[in-house]
Every structure is written in C-alpha cells, then in structure tokens.
Amino acid sequence: MAADPTASLRERFAAADPGLLRLAAGLRAAIGLTLTLAALTALDQPSVVVLSGGFTAVVTCLGISDLHPRSQFRTLLAGAPVTLAALTAGALLAPFPLASRTAFLLLIFAAVHARRFQRRGKDLGIFAFMAYFLSQFADLQPHQLRELTWALTIAFTAAAVARFGLVPATSYGVLTRLSTAFDTRLRDAEQARQDLLTDSTAGARRLRRRLERLHASALLIQEFLNEAPAGHPRDAMTELRRTARADATTQRLGAHAIRASKDPAAPSAGAAPHPEPMRRAHPTERDPVVLGPATPSAGPSRYTTWQACQVTAAAALAMPGGHLISPHLWYWAVATAWVVFINAEHTGDILLQSGRRLIGTVAGVPFGYGLAVLAAGHPSLALAFLLACVFGMFYTPSRSYWAVTFFITGALSMVLALLDTLSPELLSLRIQETALGAGCAILAALLVVPTRVRTVADERLGASSVLNRCRQRGARGRCARRGRRRGRGLRRGLLLSPPRRGDAVGCRPAVRHENAADLSGRMAGLTGQPL
C-alpha cells in the first residue's frame, strides 16, 4: 500500500517544529495582538493606549517560557501585576529623568538577578523590563495610567483567550507531538546513516545535521518531562528512559559511521545493531539507561549575580552613549545591551548574540522599510504585514537569533509606519543604537567579572564529581543536597550541552556517563579541547 502523502507531510512539519511549540507561540502572539487591537480600536482609545496594549499582548507570549499549561497560567497571572507596577513606575518617574534612569538600572539588575529562580523568575524579569521599556518608548505620562490599566487588562485577557481558548494545549498532547517528532527524526538519522554506509559521497555533514536535530528533540522531551507538574502520567520516567536510550544508540552508531567514512580501515558500523525506536513501555519495565537529574533552566546563583552586574554595567554605559546619538531613542541601546545577555552563560555567548543582533537589525531595516513602502496608504495591509512579522518572530527557531531580530525590526517598522513616524533616518538611528548597545554589552562582558568557557566547564566538572560520589555512596541527605547545589550549572551544560557543529560526536545523548573516560570526552566536547 502506498504511503499517505498527507501523513508524510504532517510528519515532516512536526519534525521541523517538535511539539508544534513554535507554531502555537506564533499563532497565540498574532491572535492575541489582533484581539487586543480590535478591542482597543472599538473603544476608540488614543494611539498611545492602542500601542501599549498591542505591545503588552506580544510580550505576554514572549515572556512565558513554561512548557506546561498549568505553569503558563500561573506565570500569566503573576506577570499582570509585575507589568502594571513597572509601567506605573516608568510613567510616574517620567518627569524626573535622573530618577527614571536610576530606577531603570535598578530594575534591570533585579530582572536579571531573578533568573536564579529559573523559568518563572526569568519570565517575570522579561515582563518587568519590557513594561518599563514601553514607558520610555511611548513616553507615557502619569495622567494616562487609568487608560493604560484598562489596556493592560484587555491585553492579558486577550492573551489568555488566545493561549487557553483558541490555541489550547494539554501536557499529554504536547508530549505526544514531541514523541512523534522524535520518531520522525530518529528515522531520518537512521536513513542518513545507511546512506553514508552505502555511499560515502552522501556526506557526513548531512548525518551530523540529522543527529543534531535528533538530540535537540530528545532534550525537549527530557526538559518537558522534568518540569512536569504533579499528577503527570506515571510512565513519564519510562518514556524519558526510552528517549535517552534511542538517542544514545543513534548518536553512537552515527559517530561510528562518520569515522568509517573517513577511514575505510576502521571497523564498520554496519554490523552494529539498529537502534530501537522510542516507544511507550510499561511503567514496570526496567531499563539499563540511567538518566540525569532534573534540569533547571538557570545556572548557578553566583553566575546569575555576576551577570546581573554585567548587564547593569552595560546598560549604564549604553544610556549616556545612546543620549549622544539620539536623546529621544537612547532606550534602544539599553534594550540591546539587556537582551543579548538572555540565555547567555559566558563571554563567548554574548559575543555571538551581539553579532547576530546587529546582523539581524541591519538586514531587517531595508526589509521593514520595503514593507512600509508597499503598504503606504493602506493601513489594513500594514497591519497584515505587522501580524506576519510577529508570527515570524515566534515561529523562527531561537537558535537563528539573527532571523528573530530580522522580524523584530520588520514589526517595529510596521508600527512606526502605522504611527506615521517612519523615516530612513529613524531606521538608521536604530542601527546605530543597536551597534552601541551590542558594543557596551561586549565591553561589560569582557571587563566586569568576565566568565570564560573554561571557567564554566571546570565548575561543572567539579560539580559532576560531587554528584557521582554522592550517587556511588548512596547518600541522599546532606551530600546529595550539596551536590545538587553545586550541580545546577552542570545539569544545564554538561548533561544537556548543545552539540557543536562539525563534531562527529558532538551530539551528546541525555544520559549519565559512569566513568572518568566518558566524562573527559564529554568535557572535551564542551570546551573544545581534551582534559
């Protein structure tokens, strides 16, 4: 029987977006923005109130990174008062520039330091920063607070309707889609390995790319199950073991195939057993694979404190520099100096994200201006372009940060076009402010308590040793608690470190290694050099 092409297309689409998480985020942001703008326009609110409500509706999707609906609802509830408080502070301090700038710096420090409380702390920090940024962008005044409160209420209500009513999701449904995507990527990786073994011209690069995608999908499943709230299905741990086992086996066979393609004298991987596809096993079935501990999204608290100092220093440098370039647009430089530190663990990450931010902005300026020219005199077309850019912003993979910035710049151009304030000079100033903010972030990362890759790797190696000793001794009291405290950074980078491109064994399975040789190999993959 011939395969159903429609089903195959659905599998391809699901594999490109595991769990359809990006698609759901893009739809929720676009729908929430549409509902908010429609409600505020129907109420005949002024443009600044409409802008504030629409901006908040997008931030409600940006600021929620929880994977489970119950946790998302709690973050949304907590984000409303945080947003209102930050927006009120920005509006009340607007007549006092010095106090306003000082409060902005204090808020930046608190928002970054809140990342020590893992996902929800980081999300609430995003809510607070974006609300204060909005008060500067829209030049909000104290007499507008009443209308702004209604706008925020409408924006959060629209976001809740879009997230839990129009584009709903359940933990079981997300897990099922993640599992389907993993199965599809598992078949793709196996097919690429077989092609490489039968025809060396197929290229090892294609296999590496498939292995990276497979491992990324396995990490999503592990992260989703580790953060599951109480009452999750009992077979969650078995599902996690099966995923790790299939991922580890496929990574190992792929590494053998790549080595065999480069060295014909090496042992062939063709005789090795095929990896067992992931399946839901019975909860009582035992599996030899031992998984790592739960994986919080934040690093060690002291690294969070250091990064808070770095971001605050970068913002303090960007403020006067931004004023010199443009007294009215200085906040763009501060926003760049703040945002490049999100999800950055060391100086190398900050350098990469700063460069990608600048590239995306430079590429997005002509794109946004071109859309504005096409939509000139047609507000409905400009609004459609705005919604498309917002959707693209969320649907683009986060690893393609330059593309995310590209769509952000396009959306900003549409907003300015709808407000009749867009001009080439204004977009040129945005590029200059972005370059200044990225430069200040790099300078702060290099001079204010710099964190090198090697330093983070050594810290994680030490934490790994503590955790291994505690496990071997069977300690579950004070020793285990000490290992968990020191191992927070380890769990993020050592057990779940993203693979390096071009590394034949860079796609590390989410399993625990039990001997020093395997641990040294993993650290070599993390630091780029053997230990």
Side-chain angles (χ1 to χ4, degrees), residues 296-446:
S297 59
S301 59
R302 66 168 179 168
Y303 286 141
T304 306
T305 304
W306 292 351
Q307 192 174 82
C309 295
Q310 289 178 330
V311 180
T312 305
L317 291 174
M319 279 184 182
H323 272 284
L324 292 178
I325 296 177
S326 174
H328 303 292
L329 301 176
W330 57 270
Y331 45 81
W332 279 349
V334 177
T336 300
W338 180 80
V339 76
V340 297
F341 280 89
I342 296 179
N343 296 328
E345 292 187 341
H346 46 73
T347 305
D349 285 341
I350 298 165
L351 291 172
L352 287 175
Q353 294 202 153
S354 297
R356 291 166 181 168
R357 179 83 179 184
L358 183 58
I359 291 173
T361 301
V362 172
V365 162
F367 168 73
Y369 191 76
L371 292 181
V373 171
L374 291 175
H378 302 85
S380 299
L381 184 58
L383 181 59
F385 285 155
L386 171 61
L387 295 176
C389 289
V390 169
F391 178 83
M393 182 195 319
F394 286 92
Y395 188 71
T396 303
S398 58
R399 63 178 179 273
S400 302
Y401 184 60
W402 69 270
V404 177
T405 307
F406 174 85
F407 284 111
I408 290 175
T409 306
L412 175 63
S413 300
M414 290 299 97
V415 171
L416 296 177
L418 289 170
L419 295 175
D420 293 326
T421 58
L422 181 67
S423 66
E425 294 77 13
L426 190 61
L427 294 178
S428 175
L429 285 175
R430 172 166 173 77
I431 294 177
Q432 297 176 47
E433 296 282 356
T434 300
L436 174 65
C440 292
I442 293 173
L443 190 63
L446 293 174

Side-chain angles (χ1 to χ4, degrees), residues 130-143:
M130 288 299 182
Y132 204 98
F133 172 83
L134 173 62
S135 70
Q136 306 301 310
F137 178 77
D139 193 20
L140 302 181
Q141 301 299 320
H143 67 273

Side-chain angles (χ1 to χ4, degrees), residues 151-394:
L152 294 185
T153 302
I154 292 174
F156 273 89
T157 303
V161 170
R163 180 175 294 273
F164 303 109
L166 301 180
V167 190
T170 62
S171 295
Y172 178 79
V174 173
L175 179 59
T176 301
R177 291 191 291 271
L178 287 174
S179 301
T180 301
F182 182 86
D183 288 337
T184 302
R185 291 186 172 187
L186 184 64
R187 290 194 296 269
D188 290 344
E190 176 62 16
Q191 183 61 48
R193 185 179 73 89
Q194 294 295 338
D195 293 343
L196 181 61
L197 292 175
T198 57
D199 182 11
S200 59
T201 60
R205 187 173 183 178
R206 177 169 172 263
L207 177 56
R208 291 193 190 98
R209 185 166 58 250
R210 296 288 177 85
L211 292 175
E212 289 174 2
R213 288 164 57 85
L214 175 68
H215 186 57
S217 186
L219 296 186
L220 274 175
I221 293 177
Q222 177 164 354
E223 188 176 21
F224 183 85
L225 292 176
N226 282 335
E227 296 184 7
H232 207 264
R234 294 182 179 180
D235 61 347
M237 185 54 65
T238 301
E239 184 80 9
L240 190 56
R241 289 192 177 100
R242 288 296 177 184
T243 303
R245 182 179 183 180
D247 183 35
T249 305
T250 306
Q251 302 295 336
R252 183 169 59 252
L253 295 179
H256 289 328
I258 292 173
R259 282 195 290 267
S261 67
K262 294 180 179 179
D263 183 10
S268 175
H274 296 282
E276 178 185 358
M278 186 191 68
R279 61 180 177 84
R280 284 187 176 80
H282 192 274
T284 60
E285 182 178 348
R286 301 184 63 83
D287 195 297
V289 177
V290 182
L291 294 174
T295 311
S297 59
S301 59
R302 66 168 179 168
Y303 286 141
T304 306
T305 304
W306 292 351
Q307 192 174 82
C309 295
Q310 289 178 330
V311 180
T312 305
L317 291 174
M319 279 184 182
H323 272 284
L324 292 178
I325 296 177
S326 174
H328 303 292
L329 301 176
W330 57 270
Y331 45 81
W332 279 349
V334 177
T336 300
W338 180 80
V339 76
V340 297
F341 280 89
I342 296 179
N343 296 328
E345 292 187 341
H346 46 73
T347 305
D349 285 341
I350 298 165
L351 291 172
L352 287 175
Q353 294 202 153
S354 297
R356 291 166 181 168
R357 179 83 179 184
L358 183 58
I359 291 173
T361 301
V362 172
V365 162
F367 168 73
Y369 191 76
L371 292 181
V373 171
L374 291 175
H378 302 85
S380 299
L381 184 58
L383 181 59
F385 285 155
L386 171 61
L387 295 176
C389 289
V390 169
F391 178 83
M393 182 195 319
F394 286 92

Side-chain angles (χ1 to χ4, degrees), residues 72-92:
Q72 293 171 3
F73 183 72
R74 292 172 179 171
T75 301
L76 190 65
L77 287 181
V82 170
T83 300
L84 181 60
L87 196 64
T88 302
L92 293 177

